[in-house]
Amino acid sequence: MQLKTSKPAGHIRDTLATLSLGLIAANAAISPAAAQQSTDNTDATPGEVTLTLPYFEVGSAYLSYAESGGRVRATEPSVDFSYHASNGGVLTLGFQEDSVSGATPNGAAPADVAQSFVTPVQVKTSAATSSGGTGTTTVTTGFGDDTNVSGNGGEGGEGGGGGTTTGGTTTGGTTTGGTTTGSTTTVTVTTASGGSTIISVPSGSGTGGTTAVLGRQYTVPANTLPMDRGFQDQRFAGNIGWSQPLGPLSLAGVTLSYSKEHDYSSISGSASVAKDFNDHNTTLSFAVNYSSATSTPFGGVPTPLTVMNPQWKTVASRKKSDMDLVLGLTEVLTRRWILQANLSYGHSSGYQNDPYRIISQVDGVTGEPVDYLYESRPGSRTRESFYIDNKIDFDWVIPEVALRYYHDNWGISSETADISARFKLYRSLYVLPNVRFYQQSAANFFHYYLVNGQSLPAYASSDIRLGKFTAVTLGAQIGFNVTDNSEIYARAQIYQQTGDAHPAGMIGQLQNQNMFSGIKASWMMVGYTWSFN
Amino acid sequence: MKHRGFVRVRRAARLALALSALALLTSACASIGPKPWEKDLMARKEMSVNPYPLVAAADDHIYFSKEASSGGRGFAGGGCGCN
C-alpha cells in the first residue's frame, strides 16, 4: 500500500498524497494491517479517516540463543495477541516461555591449580546421619543436558547448584557415609557430563559433629574460568493490558505482568497516559511501572561475604521492588521522519544479589585461592537513562539510529548506539541489517577478587556484567508478506563482549590468568504476524 | 519610587519577552510535521516506533541479562532473576 511519490512537485504531490490517504482508508476496511500505526495516527480529527472496524493481531516468534564455550543455551517461544476495538480500545495478551541451561561462571577467579566448589544439593534434606544404618543411597547427579537436573539461577547468567537426588531411593532409611569422620566423605556418586559429585560434608555447626550435610561438589581444572554446569531453569511469563482514549487523553492504559521461574517470581503493574498535539504529530506520554519480585534460591539465601558452603541457609527468600517512570515524546517531524525520545528513572530496593555467585579470596602474595565468599551488592539502586530514536523513510531504505545514555548510582555509566537500515528489495521483501555498539563502566564495588587478610568491603561482586567492557552486535532480519495481512520474518544476531583480560594490579598467579569472563553469543529468531477482522 | 517603577517595567518586559518566545515556540511546534493528508508514510508498519514488539522484547531481555544497563526504549527489563 505505497505510492512511489519519489519526486512529484507542488500540487501533484499533494494530489498523490491525498489519493494515497484515500486508498489507505479503503484498504483499512479490508486490510487491518494497514491500520496498525502509532497512536498519533489512530485518533480521528475532522478531515481525517476514522478507523472503526475492530480487528485482531497475532504475533508469534521462536528464539534460539546460544553462548560459545558450552555456556548458556536458551529457547523462547512467545506469543502476542491484541484486539483493537472500534472505540479505540486495545486489549493485549502476551505469553512467553524460556528454557535455559548450560554453564555459567560462578564468580571465582581462575587459578593455576584445580579448584573445587561445594554448594547445597537441590533437595533440602538432612540426608546423612550418624545412625550407621545399613542402607545404601544412590545419589544420581545429572548436569549439562541431562533431564534429571532441576536447577536454578537466573536465566542468562547465574545458575548454581542443581543436582537432584533423583533415583535417590534410600533403602534402609539412612545414608552411608553418615558416620562422619571429620573429613569430607563421598556418599555414592554417579557423575554425568558436568562432573559434579554429591558428597557428605561434616556440618560445622552440627551437634557433636555427628551430623553431616550433603553437598554438590564440582571441580574446575587449572587455568580455566570457574563455571558451574549444574544450571537449568524454565520461566513462564504472561501479561494482559488494556488501553483506550479517555476523556482529554489520547490514550490511557494499564498492564499486569507475571513471571515465574523455579527460584524467582515477579509481578508488576504499569499505567500509562498519552496526549496528542499538533495534528497528532506530537505525542507526550508518561508511564509508571511497579514490580515486586521474590528470590527463592536453591540452598536458601546466603549471607553476603560469608564462606561458600553446602548448608541450606535459614533464610528461604528475599524480596525486591522496582519503581520505574518513563517520560516520552514522539514527534513526527516531516512526512518521512519520526523521532522518539524517552527520559527514564528507576529505583530498585531490596535483594539484588546473585545468590549463587561467589568471589574469590586470594593470598596477598601468590594470588592462590584461599576461600570463596558469597557476593554482596547494595540494597538500593537508582538509574536514569535518556533514549533517542530517529527513523527516516527514503523510499528505498529506512535508516534508524537509536542512542541511549545510562547512568546509575552503582557507578555504572553506559552508551549504546543501535543502527539499522531496512532495505526494500522486491515487493514486500525486505532486509534489515543492524549493528549495535555498547560500552559500560564498572560498578564501584566490582572486584576481580578480594585479598585474604584485608578487611572486607561492604559490597563486592566479581560479576563481569558489573565490570567494564564493550560489546558489539551484528545481525540482520529478512521478511516478506505472505498475504496482505501477514508477514513472516527471520532474524540472526551475533554478539561479543570484549574486556581487559589482564588488568593492571593483579596479584601473583592471577597475572597469568584471563580475567575477562564476558560472552560471545548468537541467536536466531523466526516470527510471524497476522492481522484479521 | 522611580527605581521601583523601573524594576516593574523590566519585569514586564521580561515577561513579555518570555511570552513571545513561548508563542513563537508554540507556533513553530505547530508548524512541525506533516498535515493529516501527508501521513501516508507514517501510517505504515515499518515507520511505527516499534514494528516488531516480540523482536524488541527478546533483544531487550537478552541485553538486560548480559549487561548492567536496562530500559531506555521502554521499561527496564524485569520479571526474571537474570540480573
Side-chain angles (χ1 to χ4, degrees), chain A residues 225-520:
Chain A
L225 177 70
M227 289 201 280
D228 187 349
R229 298 180 187 282
F231 165 49
Q232 181 163 323
D233 205 353
Q234 194 171 26
R235 169 176 175 262
F236 296 95
N239 62 75
I240 181 167
W242 174 259
S243 65
Q244 64 169 64
L246 188 70
L249 297 170
S250 311
L251 207 63
V254 288
T255 304
L256 268 179
S257 309
Y258 181 73
S259 167
K260 173 77 181 149
E261 295 160 58
H262 284 119
D263 57 355
Y264 195 86
S265 68
S266 155
I267 186 162
S268 65
S270 69
S272 61
V273 292
K275 173 76 177 163
D276 294 344
F277 304 94
N278 178 26
D279 278 341
H280 303 292
N281 286 323
T282 306
T283 305
L284 276 176
S285 64
F286 178 72
V288 56
N289 185 75
Y290 176 81
S291 75
S292 174
T294 305
S295 181
T296 315
F298 290 99
V301 180
T303 306
L305 301 179
T306 58
V307 176
M308 180 191 205
N309 66 76
Q311 295 272 11
W312 271 74
K313 317 301 186 285
T314 50
V315 179
S317 67
R318 291 288 306 274
K319 281 185 175 296
K320 177 181 81 135
S321 64
D322 283 274
M323 174 72 85
D324 285 279
L325 309 172
V326 181
L327 184 64
L329 166 74
T330 307
E331 181 69 51
V332 181
L333 288 160
T334 72
R335 180 169 163 255
R336 298 175 174 276
W337 181 7
I338 185 168
L339 171 155
Q340 187 194 16
N342 287 339
L343 200 56
S344 307
Y345 169 86
H347 181 75
S348 305
S349 60
Y351 189 70
Q352 297 180 66
N353 290 340
D354 177 341
Y356 309 111
R357 194 172 287 271
I358 52 175
I359 183 167
S360 297
Q361 205 170 23
V362 304
D363 183 89
V365 178
T366 63
E368 298 293 349
V370 177
D371 256 328
Y372 307 104
L373 310 183
Y374 291 110
E375 70 155 32
S376 170
R377 303 184 189 190
S380 169
R381 188 181 194 181
T382 302
R383 53 191 175 272
E384 297 131 23
S385 68
F386 177 69
Y387 170 87
I388 184 163
D389 184 15
N390 277 283
K391 195 188 272 199
I392 303 178
D393 188 340
F394 290 116
D395 286 330
W396 61 281
V397 62
I398 302 175
E400 180 172 8
V401 178
L403 305 172
R404 178 183 64 176
Y405 174 75
Y406 168 94
H407 178 75
D408 67 33
N409 71 341
W410 284 5
I412 297 166
S413 293
S414 76
E415 294 85 35
T416 314
D418 210 336
I419 301 158
S420 65
R422 178 180 169 126
F423 293 91
K424 295 170 187 177
L425 296 181
Y426 174 72
R427 291 178 180 253
S428 67
L429 180 67
Y430 69 89
V431 61
L432 201 159
N434 68 291
V435 58
R436 178 183 184 269
F437 301 99
Y438 174 81
Q439 63 175 31
Q440 72 174 49
S441 63
N444 48 31
F445 55 89
F446 174 81
H447 300 281
Y448 290 96
Y449 52 82
L450 298 174
V451 178
N452 191 38
Q454 293 184 358
S455 60
L456 291 175
Y459 307 111
S461 174
S462 60
D463 189 342
I464 197 61
R465 294 172 302 173
L466 299 173
K468 180 183 177 185
F469 66 86
T470 60
V472 177
T473 312
L474 277 174
Q477 175 175 328
I478 188 163
F480 63 94
N481 287 357
V482 183
T483 67
D484 282 350
N485 301 333
S486 63
E487 178 187 333
I488 192 164
Y489 58 86
R491 182 178 162 88
Q493 306 282 302
I494 52 170
Y495 172 74
Q496 175 144 26
Q497 294 177 343
T498 310
D500 195 350
H502 300 285
M506 294 293 107
I507 297 175
Q509 60 90 20
L510 293 162
Q511 293 168 22
N512 305 320
Q513 302 295 339
N514 181 353
M515 300 301 288
F516 184 70
S517 56
I519 58 158
K520 184 177 181 182

Side-chain angles (χ1 to χ4, degrees), chain A residues 67 154-156 158 259 261 278-279 281 335 391 393 404 414 424 430 436 438 465 473 487 491 495 497, chain B residues 29-30 33-34 38-40 44-46 48 52 59 61 63 65-69 71-72 79-82:
Chain A
E67 293 173 10
E155 166 192 346
E158 55 284 29
S259 167
E261 295 160 58
N278 178 26
D279 278 341
N281 286 323
R335 180 169 163 255
K391 195 188 272 199
D393 188 340
R404 178 183 64 176
S414 76
K424 295 170 187 177
Y430 69 89
R436 178 183 184 269
Y438 174 81
R465 294 172 302 173
T473 312
E487 178 187 333
R491 182 178 162 88
Y495 172 74
Q497 294 177 343
Chain B
C29 200
E38 297 174 316
K39 300 271 183 84
D40 55 331
R44 293 185 341 223
K45 176 182 175 180
E46 55 265 37
S48 68
Y52 300 96
D59 279 5
H61 192 57
Y63 293 131
S65 67
K66 297 296 162 191
E67 297 171 349
S69 317
C80 81
C82 48

Side-chain angles (χ1 to χ4, degrees), chain A residues 61-332:
Chain A
Y62 182 82
L63 169 74
S64 175
Y65 171 93
E67 293 173 10
S68 61
R71 288 170 69 167
V72 174
R73 304 179 76 87
T75 57
E76 181 188 282
S78 55
V79 177
D80 258 2
F81 169 87
S82 61
Y83 169 68
H84 299 248
S86 53
N87 66 354
V90 181
L91 172 73
T92 54
L93 289 170
F95 181 77
Q96 56 186 221
E97 185 266 340
D98 297 318
S99 296
V100 188
S101 63
T104 188
N106 66 6
D112 60 0
V113 292
Q115 301 184 80
S116 286
F117 306 93
V118 186
T119 71
V121 293
Q122 188 207 348
V123 179
K124 188 180 183 181
T125 57
S126 53
T129 71
S130 60
S131 69
T134 54
T136 57
T137 296
T138 307
V139 181
T140 308
T141 65
F143 301 97
D145 293 328
D146 291 8
T147 53
N148 60 344
V149 180
S150 172
N152 50 53
E155 166 192 346
E158 55 284 29
T164 51
T165 50
T166 56
T169 48
T170 308
T171 55
T174 54
T175 59
T176 59
T179 48
T180 309
T181 59
S183 61
T184 300
T185 309
T186 300
V187 185
T188 304
V189 174
T190 307
T191 55
S193 59
S196 291
T197 58
I198 300 294
I199 61 169
S200 178
V201 183
S203 169
S205 58
T207 52
T210 57
T211 60
V213 292
L214 290 181
R216 182 175 63 85
Q217 184 182 52
Y218 59 97
T219 300
V220 174
N223 306 312
T224 307
L225 177 70
M227 289 201 280
D228 187 349
R229 298 180 187 282
F231 165 49
Q232 181 163 323
D233 205 353
Q234 194 171 26
R235 169 176 175 262
F236 296 95
N239 62 75
I240 181 167
W242 174 259
S243 65
Q244 64 169 64
L246 188 70
L249 297 170
S250 311
L251 207 63
V254 288
T255 304
L256 268 179
S257 309
Y258 181 73
S259 167
K260 173 77 181 149
E261 295 160 58
H262 284 119
D263 57 355
Y264 195 86
S265 68
S266 155
I267 186 162
S268 65
S270 69
S272 61
V273 292
K275 173 76 177 163
D276 294 344
F277 304 94
N278 178 26
D279 278 341
H280 303 292
N281 286 323
T282 306
T283 305
L284 276 176
S285 64
F286 178 72
V288 56
N289 185 75
Y290 176 81
S291 75
S292 174
T294 305
S295 181
T296 315
F298 290 99
V301 180
T303 306
L305 301 179
T306 58
V307 176
M308 180 191 205
N309 66 76
Q311 295 272 11
W312 271 74
K313 317 301 186 285
T314 50
V315 179
S317 67
R318 291 288 306 274
K319 281 185 175 296
K320 177 181 81 135
S321 64
D322 283 274
M323 174 72 85
D324 285 279
L325 309 172
V326 181
L327 184 64
L329 166 74
T330 307
E331 181 69 51
V332 181

